[in-house]
Amino acid sequence: MRRITGKAKDETLIELQSATDSQNGDENGGTSVNSSSEKTALPGHTETDKLQPNKDTVFFRDGVRRIDFVLSYVDDKDGEKKQDRRREFEANLEKEGLELETEDKSDSKDQKTYFLKIHAPWNVLATYADVLKIKVPFKTSDVPHSQDVPLEWLSHPFRLPEHIMRPQPDYFTYPFEKSKTDFFLITDKDTFFPPSTRNRIVFYILARCPYYKEGQKERDKTGIKRLLSNGTYTAAFPLHDCRYWKRARNAECESERYNLYKHWARFLCFYKEQPLNLIRKYYGEKIGIYFAWLGFYTEMLFFAAVMGLICFIYGLLSYEDNMSSKEICDADIGGSIVMCPLCDKKCPFWKLNSTCLSSWQSHLFDNEGTVFFAIFMGIWVTLFLEIWKRRQARLEYEWDLVDFEEEQQQLQIRPEFEIRCTNKRLNKITQEMEPYLPVTSKCARFCLSAATVIFWISLIVACIIGVIAYRLAVHAAFASIIKDPMRKIQVVGRFITPQLATSVTASCINFVIIMILNFFYERVAVWITDMEIPKTHLEYENRLTMKMFLFQFVNYYSSCFYVAFFKGKFVGFPGDYTYMFGKRSKLRNEECDPGGCLIELTTQLVIVMSGKQLWVHTLLLIHLNYQLGLFYEYLEMGEMLHLPCLQYRDHIWAGEPDTLLYIYIWRLSCFLPQYSTLCFPLPLTTTNSLPALPVFSVVQFGFITLFVASFPLAPLLALFNNILEIRVDAWKFTTQFRRPVASKARNIGAWQEILNAVAILSVVTNAFIIAFTSDMIPRMVFLYAYNENAGMRGYVNNSLSIYNISQIPVYNMPEERDDWFENSTATCRYRDYRYPPGHRKEYTHTMQFWHILAAKMAFIIIMEHVVFVVKFFVAWMIPDIPSDVKARFKRERYLIQEVKVCGVEHVTLGVITLSRVGYDIIN
């Protein structure tokens, strides 16, 4: 096949096209595949019009053959090796049957960039659709949709037009068979395979096509990925179908991108349902199922947010009934209680009423409603997972993903595995020789991977220990600064305690560490997974997913686990304090406020959750500024470039008045970046793989389930964030980045098991938070066992033990003492349940301590059993697959004639050799 360049004149183009058609006809035995000689001009277009520049065009210059993929490369002086690689690679692509057309570098902005347009004719599409077992329609579905539900009119404001929600009719589908084309509903071969399927097939060929010279077989010289990594090509991408802000002029060019922008990507559509079928049709099943999951998760967050808001309002309404805070703030009670120093040397004796504000703040989240909300969230997470299974099952059927996982395992062997694994052995199932990784190499790679994971997790733990050491060290500094009421910071000192100041600054430092480590973890996870050389795409994605979440779990949650379950639990008592690294370190373990550590856990959650979103949107603003800079640069250069964040007129005049500069859709797409974590603050990895896509969404899911007992407003913040996140992500996908290669995914992969594990763990963590971090159980024991008639009056005095100041060692005593302390008291108080000085069991735990501990353990056991029983009952009651989906699936199976496996067929396609599973349709 001959390729043509953009500098040729119209007559030359027509002449070359005629020659190409003739040559195609000769190569195909006298019948050309998809040749322009068999086509008629498009409606409203003459032959000359088709050869004129068109900003919206997604076709070759003949106006007939569709551009399925574009490669770009730069003409540089030191590019002889690159030219040889390109020459061999493109020759092999032509042997596969792909048709190529080159745009000359003189048409590009830098006068160096070539654009190679690729078209897959029917013969290639049919062959690889057969190999990949792509499901295609064979009959229009005759199963009616579910009947209208009562009060359906209430949902009308949230609905989208039917042609947007269902861009194509419902069909029964079956894996494509090239030899049985009459069995399928093929009305037009040019439009039978949608653009997303076409670019998926072409990318499959590009990923496996070699570029070594004939007779010199070098296995590592294979695939477009290596050519991109070594600079032979600068970009490889499928095209967007048109400009997003207006419909395409060409009637043959789809306007799906325009519809996605109008009905999905604009923020004013935040209350509308998502056009999932259109998203799937345009971007593929992987992207579609991600947005389906994120949308469903956001819908379910609404109920959790409402309940959390109710619990918070209950805390506000019961504000005046908080007897504990009243006693702490009372000048005669809290003002007369002298507390023991919270650190050595620098921390003074202090009065209990100095924590008045923090005790009121704690009550907003630490009240009776917290227990109810924790139980509710345990049930909510079960409903979320079970209902998602039903919705996922519906998508699996409607999007032709049933049994897809098995096909992935058999057919989608990664090119990297085929290249790097030179050993072969007989597959007992397919009876074909296939590459494999020796056990010794696999064990060595596994050990290296495990060692790397342990090292990086240890690095996280070391950072957390460093933050804890910071907390212990600076607490004394804050205490010495805030203690003096005569200093200029007295206004601040009234509202900020040393504990709060330490907690806020430590949380901010921890967040910065999280962001820094997160930058490295994504790359480390990808490097480790690549080093393991997984065999299939599914195996690769699952391994990457597990490593990503393991890193993120430890990175994001370590500090929260410390505050929730360790801080204030191992402090000792005056005269026998516990130190972090021994007494020589002089870093005494932190104590909690008299109101408990729950408010500090709340602070940690708020800073991490809100800080992450602030970081994301800061990156977005930086990216927009960068895009604006590019826009002005191109205007100064005298060339029009469409930057999606701006809308402008269809064209501009440059140079001579009659000279109109156009930007082709393939050149426009080339300037758009490919989405990644570096420039796209969506939770994506550098592999652009869907199972690694919702990393932060799942991390957020962990925050609102694992620690929700400490912060009932977390689901509300997550809801607001996700409403914005869906539209921002949609806007970025539609306007700011290249169209990704369409790929399939049956479900959310390993994330499903991760969500199940987080759901089970959340029941345990919330039970322990209420029992050990919250002050709920001690208050209940005091109310019902020790002060039944007087209510909560006297609880503060009851929860504080007494210590003789004269018995405090010198190294624990403060260096300076306040004037009010001199001769005012001989004892100080501390948070614990121990016998007072002079008692025969002085400073040992009282019976009340053991009663409270028993109550805490009983609460944990009862709460876990109640929630787990309800969870399992709900899971049993809700079937995983809806009944109407089962009926449609059975109907489809009934209509398909008996299918039997006839064995494995060895297929040789040009220079690509692979194996496939063969099917016969018995008539």
Side-chain angles (χ1 to χ4, degrees):
M1 175 185 173
R2 294 182 62 188
R3 282 172 287 165
I4 51 181
T5 61
K7 298 306 289 183
K9 300 296 182 181
D10 292 352
E11 295 81 7
T12 308
L13 292 175
I14 298 173
E15 181 181 356
L16 286 173
Q17 181 59 44
S18 300
T20 301
D21 293 339
S22 301
Q23 185 174 350
N24 287 339
D26 295 338
E27 293 175 353
N28 292 279
T31 59
S32 65
V33 180
N34 217 17
S35 65
S36 61
S37 59
E38 296 178 357
K39 297 286 183 179
T40 59
L42 299 176
H45 294 75
T46 65
E47 187 69 23
T48 304
D49 292 335
K50 290 185 293 183
L51 297 174
Q52 295 300 318
N54 184 343
K55 293 195 292 287
D56 289 326
T57 186
V58 289
F59 298 94
F60 277 21
R61 278 189 224 74
D62 57 17
V64 175
R65 292 174 293 171
R66 185 184 187 92
I67 302 172
D68 296 313
F69 225 86
V70 175
L71 306 180
S72 66
Y73 58 91
V74 175
D75 183 18
D76 50 29
K77 296 180 180 179
D78 302 326
E80 293 184 3
K81 291 184 178 180
K82 296 178 182 179
Q83 291 177 8
D84 292 338
R85 295 186 197 127
R86 285 193 293 266
R87 188 180 303 110
E88 296 298 331
F89 185 70
E90 293 168 15
N92 288 332
L93 290 179
E94 291 177 349
K95 290 179 181 178
E96 289 301 317
L98 296 179
E99 300 177 5
L100 313 179
E101 185 177 79
T102 303
E103 288 293 323
D104 192 81
K105 65 179 180 180
S106 58
D107 288 335
S108 64
K109 169 184 174 291
D110 56 8
Q111 301 291 304
K112 293 181 179 180
T113 304
Y114 290 89
F115 293 94
L116 178 67
K117 298 176 286 185
I118 302 175
H119 167 74
W122 167 257
N123 186 52
V124 174
L125 294 173
T127 301
Y128 278 91
D130 191 353
V131 170
L132 298 176
K133 293 302 170 190
I134 294 175
K135 291 187 175 182
V136 295
F138 70 89
K139 187 182 189 309
T140 304
S141 175
D142 55 4
V143 177
H145 291 285
S146 56
Q147 298 180 351
D148 294 341
V149 296
L151 302 178
E152 187 184 11
W153 57 272
L154 292 175
S155 63
H156 284 175
F158 311 102
R159 294 290 181 88
L160 291 175
E162 185 65 17
H163 74 280
I164 299 298
M165 290 302 297
R166 297 186 177 276
Q168 55 191 14
D170 288 337
Y171 294 107
F172 291 128
T173 60
Y174 188 77
F176 185 78
E177 282 282 349
K178 186 178 180 180
S179 60
K180 306 289 183 180
T181 54
D182 293 340
F183 178 72
F184 302 103
L185 296 178
I186 304 176
T187 56
D188 185 353
K189 291 182 178 181
D190 289 339
T191 59
F192 180 68
F193 293 107
S196 57
T197 301
R198 297 173 68 101
N199 72 58
R200 177 188 165 206
I201 291 175
V202 173
F203 184 75
Y204 184 87
I205 298 172
L206 292 174
R208 288 161 173 78
C209 186
Y211 57 89
Y212 46 76
K213 294 182 179 180
E214 188 175 353
Q216 298 179 359
K217 191 170 184 179
E218 301 174 65
R219 296 183 60 84
D220 60 334
K221 293 187 175 182
T222 302
I224 186 62
K225 291 183 179 179
R226 289 189 62 86
L227 290 172
L228 289 171
S229 64
N230 60 32
T232 304
Y233 290 98
T234 57
F237 52 90
L239 293 179
H240 283 295
D241 61 8
C242 66
R243 293 167 291 177
Y244 73 87
W245 70 95
K246 66 183 298 183
R247 291 187 180 277
R249 296 177 178 177
N250 191 342
E252 296 296 317
C253 180
E254 302 88 351
S255 294
E256 293 173 355
R257 187 188 186 196
Y258 166 77
N259 289 331
L260 285 171
Y261 174 74
K262 181 179 179 181
H263 299 283
W264 179 52
R266 295 190 302 171
F267 181 74
L268 293 179
C269 300
F270 73 92
Y271 63 94
K272 295 283 189 178
E273 60 184 336
Q274 295 189 91
L276 295 178
N277 289 323
L278 186 58
I279 297 171
R280 172 247 180 172
K281 185 171 182 282
Y282 192 75
Y283 291 114
E285 287 76 7
K286 272 193 176 183
I287 302 298
I289 205 167
Y290 163 69
F291 280 104
W293 180 86
L294 186 58
F296 175 73
Y297 170 49
T298 304
E299 292 173 14
M300 292 295 292
L301 272 178
F302 174 79
F303 303 100
V306 169
M307 192 57 62
L309 184 61
I310 292 174
C311 291
F312 179 75
I313 292 175
Y314 172 79
L316 286 175
L317 296 178
S318 60
Y319 207 63
E320 295 299 326
D321 299 330
N322 182 14
M323 183 58 65
S324 298
S325 295
K326 288 182 178 180
E327 291 185 346
I328 291 175
C329 298
D330 192 288
D332 296 330
I333 302 176
S336 63
I337 296 178
V338 178
M339 302 295 294
C340 299
L342 294 175
C343 63
D344 297 340
K345 299 294 184 179
K346 299 296 182 182
C347 296
F349 293 93
W350 53 286
K351 291 186 177 181
L352 181 62
N353 63 352
S354 64
T355 61
C356 175
L357 181 61
S358 63
S359 67
W360 286 111
Q361 293 171 344
S362 296
H363 176 73
L364 294 177
F365 307 105
D366 188 7
N367 53 66
E368 293 77 6
T370 304
V371 179
F372 169 77
F373 185 61
I375 295 174
F376 169 82
M377 288 301 295
I379 300 173
W380 174 89
V381 73
T382 303
L383 288 171
F384 167 74
L385 294 175
E386 293 302 319
I387 299 177
W388 166 248
K389 289 179 184 177
R390 291 171 58 84
R391 185 165 295 191
Q392 185 171 255
R394 186 181 300 278
L395 291 177
E396 283 183 22
Y397 174 76
E398 293 180 351
W399 292 359
D400 300 323
L401 299 174
V402 179
D403 300 328
F404 172 72
E405 185 171 314
E406 289 74 17
E407 296 171 14
Q408 279 280 84
Q409 289 285 3
Q410 295 176 9
L411 297 173
Q412 300 291 323
I413 296 178
R414 298 175 62 239
E416 295 82 356
F417 184 85
E418 297 174 343
I419 294 170
R420 299 176 66 180
C421 298
T422 57
N423 299 311
K424 288 192 175 184
R425 65 182 175 186
L426 182 67
N427 187 314
K428 296 181 180 179
I429 298 176
T430 63
Q431 293 298 307
E432 290 288 332
M433 297 298 293
E434 65 178 16
Y436 80 100
L437 189 64
V439 176
T440 53
S441 177
K442 186 180 296 185
C443 292
R445 293 173 185 276
F446 175 79
C447 292
L448 179 59
S449 173
T452 307
V453 170
I454 293 173
F455 169 78
W456 282 94
I457 290 179
S458 301
L459 181 61
I460 301 176
V461 175
C463 291
I464 296 300
I465 293 175
V467 173
I468 295 173
Y470 163 84
R471 299 171 69 106
L472 301 178
V474 302
H475 181 270
F478 280 119
S480 63
I481 293 174
I482 299 176
K483 69 178 181 180
D484 190 352
M486 299 304 294
R487 296 190 179 184
K488 294 182 180 180
I489 62 168
Q490 58 181 343
V491 176
V492 178
R494 294 176 184 175
F495 301 99
I496 299 180
T497 63
Q499 292 93 328
L500 181 59
T502 302
S503 178
V504 171
T505 56
S507 298
C508 293
I509 293 174
N510 183 69
F511 172 73
V512 173
I513 293 174
I514 287 174
M515 292 295 100
I516 294 174
L517 292 179
N518 190 52
F519 175 81
F520 293 102
Y521 286 151
E522 293 183 358
R523 289 150 181 80
V524 171
V526 173
W527 178 79
I528 295 173
T529 308
D530 289 338
M531 183 264 299
E532 293 175 352
I533 320 179
K535 182 177 181 180
T536 65
H537 291 284
L538 182 63
E539 185 180 357
Y540 180 91
E541 291 166 352
N542 287 341
R543 290 189 187 185
L544 177 60
T545 296
M546 297 304 296
K547 293 178 180 64
M548 285 288 296
F549 184 74
L550 179 61
F551 285 143
Q552 301 288 7
F553 184 92
V554 179
N555 193 23
Y556 278 98
Y557 301 146
S558 295
S559 57
C560 294
F561 274 103
Y562 164 73
V563 175
F565 305 121
F566 295 98
K567 182 181 177 182
K569 307 301 186 295
F570 310 100
V571 297
F573 60 95
D576 189 21
Y577 286 117
T578 303
Y579 292 80
M580 185 175 181
F581 302 109
K583 288 188 177 181
R584 292 184 179 180
S585 67
K586 298 181 180 181
L587 295 176
R588 207 172 90 189
N589 287 348
E590 286 185 280
E591 296 185 38
C592 295
D593 277 339
C597 281
L598 196 69
I599 189 65
E600 294 192 37
L601 179 58
T602 303
T603 303
Q604 181 78 25
L605 289 175
V606 171
I607 289 177
V608 174
M609 290 185 66
S610 58
K612 173 66 176 178
Q613 295 311 309
L614 181 62
W615 173 258
V616 164
H617 296 302
T618 300
L619 288 181
L620 176 61
L621 291 176
I622 293 174
H623 171 67
L624 287 178
N625 287 332
Y626 172 74
Q627 291 285 65
L628 284 171
L630 284 181
F631 176 75
Y632 291 118
E633 177 185 348
Y634 284 115
L635 285 184
E636 292 174 1
M637 295 291 293
E639 179 173 344
M640 187 197 80
L641 173 68
H642 165 56
L643 292 176
C645 56
L646 302 171
Q647 292 188 12
Y648 53 86
R649 288 179 293 180
D650 291 344
H651 56 269
I652 61 174
W653 297 101
E656 297 297 328
D658 295 334
T659 304
L660 188 62
L661 297 181
Y662 288 99
I663 182 73
Y664 287 92
I665 193 73
W666 58 84
R667 196 173 302 131
L668 183 153
S669 297
C670 182
F671 285 115
L672 296 178
Q674 186 176 7
Y675 64 86
S676 69
T677 47
L678 296 178
C679 58
F680 189 26
L682 187 82
L684 299 171
T685 67
T686 52
T687 60
N688 302 330
S689 172
L690 176 91
L693 197 67
V695 174
F696 184 69
S697 297
V698 176
V699 170
Q700 182 198 82
F701 178 81
F703 277 126
I704 69 167
T705 53
L706 295 175
F707 309 104
V708 72
S710 66
F711 188 40
L713 292 180
L716 183 63
L717 295 182
L719 175 64
F720 290 147
N721 169 73
N722 286 6
I723 290 175
L724 176 64
E725 189 74 25
I726 289 176
R727 303 303 163 176
V728 170
D729 293 349
W731 174 75
K732 294 171 187 172
F733 262 110
T734 307
T735 69
Q736 295 291 295
F737 294 91
R738 296 176 193 162
R739 184 177 185 173
V741 178
S743 55
K744 284 181 174 287
R746 182 180 179 182
N747 46 44
I748 58 176
W751 290 116
Q752 186 72 43
E753 298 303 321
I754 290 174
L755 293 175
N756 290 331
V758 170
I760 295 174
L761 182 61
S762 67
V763 178
V764 179
T765 56
N766 283 297
F768 272 85
I769 287 173
I770 294 175
F772 289 98
T773 307
S774 167
D775 208 31
M776 180 65 60
I777 302 302
R779 290 201 299 262
M780 294 298 100
V781 171
F782 174 79
L783 176 64
Y784 295 109
Y786 289 89
N787 204 32
E788 188 172 352
N789 297 325
M792 290 301 297
R793 189 176 301 277
Y795 168 73
V796 172
N797 183 66
N798 176 266
S799 64
L800 299 176
S801 297
I802 304 174
Y803 197 84
N804 192 334
I805 294 177
S806 63
Q807 294 178 306
I808 297 179
V810 177
Y811 56 81
N812 291 140
M813 290 291 287
E815 295 175 345
E816 300 178 5
R817 300 186 185 182
D818 298 314
D819 295 336
W820 60 265
F821 175 76
E822 296 298 334
N823 302 320
S824 62
T825 180
T827 61
C828 64
R829 310 294 292 272
Y830 60 98
R831 182 180 172 83
D832 207 342
Y833 294 92
R834 295 178 182 272
Y835 289 109
H839 194 277
R840 63 184 182 88
K841 297 182 179 179
E842 70 173 3
Y843 306 140
T844 60
H845 286 123
T846 64
M847 285 303 299
Q848 187 175 354
F849 170 83
W850 300 109
H851 291 161
I852 292 174
L853 182 61
K856 290 179 177 179
M857 300 307 297
F859 172 81
I860 291 173
I861 294 173
I862 293 173
M863 178 178 171
E864 287 182 355
H865 281 72
V866 169
V867 174
F868 280 133
V869 168
V870 174
K871 282 169 64 70
F872 291 137
F873 178 75
V874 169
W876 174 75
M877 286 288 294
I878 301 177
D880 291 346
I881 303 177
S883 57
D884 63 315
V885 173
K886 287 183 179 179
R888 295 178 65 185
F889 181 74
K890 291 179 180 179
R891 173 65 175 166
E892 181 177 88
R893 293 289 177 170
Y894 175 78
L895 292 174
I896 298 175
Q897 299 179 359
E898 185 179 1
V899 178
K900 71 175 182 179
V901 178
C902 65
V904 179
E905 180 182 351
H906 195 68
V907 183
T908 301
L909 304 173
V911 293
I912 299 177
T913 303
L914 45 91
S915 297
R916 72 180 184 189
V917 177
Y919 292 90
D920 271 350
I921 302 176
I922 308 301
N923 296 316

